[in-house]
Amino acid sequence: MNKQDKIIETLHIKINDIIKDRKKIQEAAKLLRAGHLVAFPTETVYGLGASALNPAAVRSIYTAKGRPSDNPLIVHIDVFEKIDSIAIGIPEVAVTLAKHFWPGPLTLVLKAASTVPSIVTGGLNTVAVRIPDHPVALELIKMAEVPVAAPSANISGGPSPTLAHHVIKDLGGRIAAVLDSGPCRIGLESTVLDLTSKIPRILRPGGITLEDLKEVLPEVILPTKKAFSEEDKPLAPGMKYRHYAPQAPLFLLEGSENRVRDELKKLILDYSKKDYKVGILTASPLNIEDSQAFVVFDLRGAKNPGEAAAKLFESLRNMDEAGVDIIIAEGISEKGIGFAVMNRLRKAAGKNIINL
Ligand code: TXA
Ligand code: MG
């Protein structure tokens, strides 16, 4: 935190029951309407919300997160009818997708309405919109009576928050409040789908899988691997940065299961000998002794990618808390949500991907 940053008290507001705790959500909605920042749970990750129609409030999101200002934000609404206040020329396919997937982890990129401040869109003429599938988020947006711009509520570049205490660790003292309703169900961000290109294309894989989308929209395409990487012109501006990354360097092992296993064991031994504390993300149990030297987080990815997704960011944060010097992760199957998990792991690894 810079010296000049003002430290404010961040209210930690627990929501156990959407009906009994109505007043508390109302209080948070009031803060949003008054131009303050409020973090809230969604089914994907915690978001850092500001009134999308208040440019000064939106600007403070970028300051709080240390986010580059060319990286646009997702606008969250609670009911489909409000889409007209955000976007224009809504294609029929958006209506069909919304019927199938909203509320849910799908973000649609559409032509922006002129009422959307350019600080929200990063100066683009498009805008990203979604309806989150979380009762607290929906109630908050409804009560705020404004569309809510919200990126993930983490310091830019780090793993997204899936628990309220992750938000407090990253942004406590910089934001007005966080609504806490426990862990996020999916644990990875929404799928970002561009509907302004000739053929609808996925800009960021996420909670709605390619397989899910193809059932409704057979023509949907995935850009090449290169388009998700730093070398090519990034499609979603946010995808050009090293991202989702823990503090310790992360090495990702990809390739045949046996070779990955052998390399993992070799690396663990090598680094342990050097007195490194090694963090390991595995897809299946490891039989190595000397558990002092390393911390294992079992993603159980091969059998259950959904569980791997839900635990990924939390595991990366826990590794940092445990003070590991290095993290070695095994790649998992790219089927279903495994594709989004691997996208995040590759981003977190940066150049440290070992193909075996
Ligand atoms: O699940 C989620 O999507 C969470 C929750 C809070 O809704 N939000 C989230 O926001 O992950 P953020 O800001 O961390 O990621 C938004 C992504 C970025 O990669 C950004 O570049 C892209 O969406 N994006 C936003 N507006 C866009 C636009 N107009 N065109 C292309 N990409 C856009
Ligand atoms: Mg983010």
Side-chain angles (χ1 to χ4, degrees):
M1 195 180 294
N2 295 325
K3 262 194 194 144
Q4 67 270 25
D5 287 345
K6 213 167 84 190
I7 297 185
I8 55 171
E9 190 201 346
T10 300
L11 301 173
H12 183 169
I13 306 173
K14 292 221 166 91
I15 306 295
N16 299 314
D17 183 311
I18 185 101
I19 303 191
K20 285 193 195 130
D21 293 328
R22 248 185 87 81
K23 280 221 170 98
K24 297 188 194 169
I25 304 176
Q26 189 96 56
E27 192 188 331
K30 239 189 196 166
L31 287 169
L32 269 183
R33 247 200 328 270
H36 298 289
L37 301 185
V38 175
F40 60 96
T42 80
E43 80 282 28
T44 58
V45 300
Y46 276 77
L48 177 61
S51 163
L53 304 179
N54 179 337
V58 174
R59 194 163 294 114
S60 63
I61 289 181
Y62 289 88
T63 317
K65 281 182 58 103
R67 178 178 174 112
S69 61
D70 66 346
N71 189 4
L73 306 176
I74 297 172
V75 178
H76 298 70
I77 52 177
D78 58 327
V79 286
F80 187 78
E81 292 64 43
K82 291 189 187 167
I83 203 166
D84 291 324
S85 63
I86 313 285
I88 50 169
I90 316 279
E92 202 43 46
V93 64
V95 180
T96 309
L97 288 166
K99 272 191 191 135
H100 274 86
F101 299 113
W102 281 358
L106 177 67
T107 293
L108 301 179
V109 173
L110 300 162
K111 276 192 201 130
S114 58
T115 42
V116 181
S118 66
I119 185 86
V120 173
T121 61
L124 299 173
N125 56 12
T126 57
V127 64
V129 189
R130 89 175 186 103
I131 303 184
D133 185 17
H134 195 293
V136 174
L138 292 174
E139 197 61 23
L140 177 72
I141 300 164
K142 183 174 153 200
M143 286 177 168
E145 294 173 352
V146 284
V148 176
S152 50
N154 53 283
I155 294 286
S156 200
S160 296
T162 56
L163 287 164
H165 80 79
H166 297 157
V167 178
I168 292 166
K169 175 149 199 297
D170 279 16
L171 301 172
R174 302 183 189 195
I175 64 176
V178 54
L179 290 176
D180 179 354
S181 58
C184 300
R185 177 167 57 83
I186 295 173
L188 283 186
E189 301 86 346
S190 62
T191 301
V192 179
L193 179 69
D194 184 3
L195 293 182
T196 65
S197 52
K198 253 196 217 140
I199 304 173
R201 51 182 188 167
I202 293 178
L203 304 184
R204 178 180 71 181
I208 296 292
T209 65
L210 178 65
E211 293 88 333
D212 296 334
L213 274 177
K214 278 206 159 145
E215 278 185 23
V216 182
L217 193 64
E219 66 270 34
V220 66
I221 52 165
L222 264 183
T224 57
K225 235 186 202 179
K226 207 174 151 220
F228 286 135
S229 77
E230 284 151 51
E231 285 84 38
D232 206 4
K233 187 175 177 294
L235 297 169
M239 300 305 276
K240 74 182 170 194
Y241 304 103
R242 183 170 181 242
H243 223 123
Y244 318 112
Q247 268 139 42
L250 183 147
F251 285 82
L252 176 61
L253 310 182
E254 292 195 45
S256 96
E257 218 177 304
N258 289 341
R259 283 203 290 271
V260 164
R261 243 320 127 103
D262 290 346
E263 184 67 13
L264 177 66
K265 289 186 176 165
K266 184 179 157 292
L267 286 174
I268 293 169
L269 291 177
D270 286 355
Y271 280 108
S272 305
K273 269 188 211 142
K274 286 190 209 159
D275 272 346
Y276 276 53
K277 191 166 180 184
V278 186
I280 305 156
L281 277 178
T282 71
S284 47
L286 268 176
N287 301 316
I288 297 185
E289 275 154 35
D290 187 14
S291 61
Q292 297 290 51
F294 52 86
V295 189
V296 178
F297 288 95
D298 182 358
L299 285 181
R300 271 165 260 157
K303 291 196 188 70
N304 183 352
E307 193 170 341
K311 283 188 179 170
L312 177 66
F313 290 139
E314 192 183 352
S315 299
L316 294 178
R317 283 175 177 268
N318 287 346
M319 298 252 194
D320 279 336
E321 289 285 309
V324 303
D325 300 303
I326 184 168
I327 299 171
I328 309 170
E330 279 183 321
I332 67 162
S333 153
E334 291 191 84
K335 278 203 201 107
I337 202 164
F339 187 70
V341 172
M342 286 304 289
N343 168 270
R344 305 304 190 269
L345 279 173
R346 289 184 185 125
K347 288 261 142 200
K351 305 265 180 243
N352 298 332
I353 299 176
I354 303 172
N355 283 300
L356 297 159

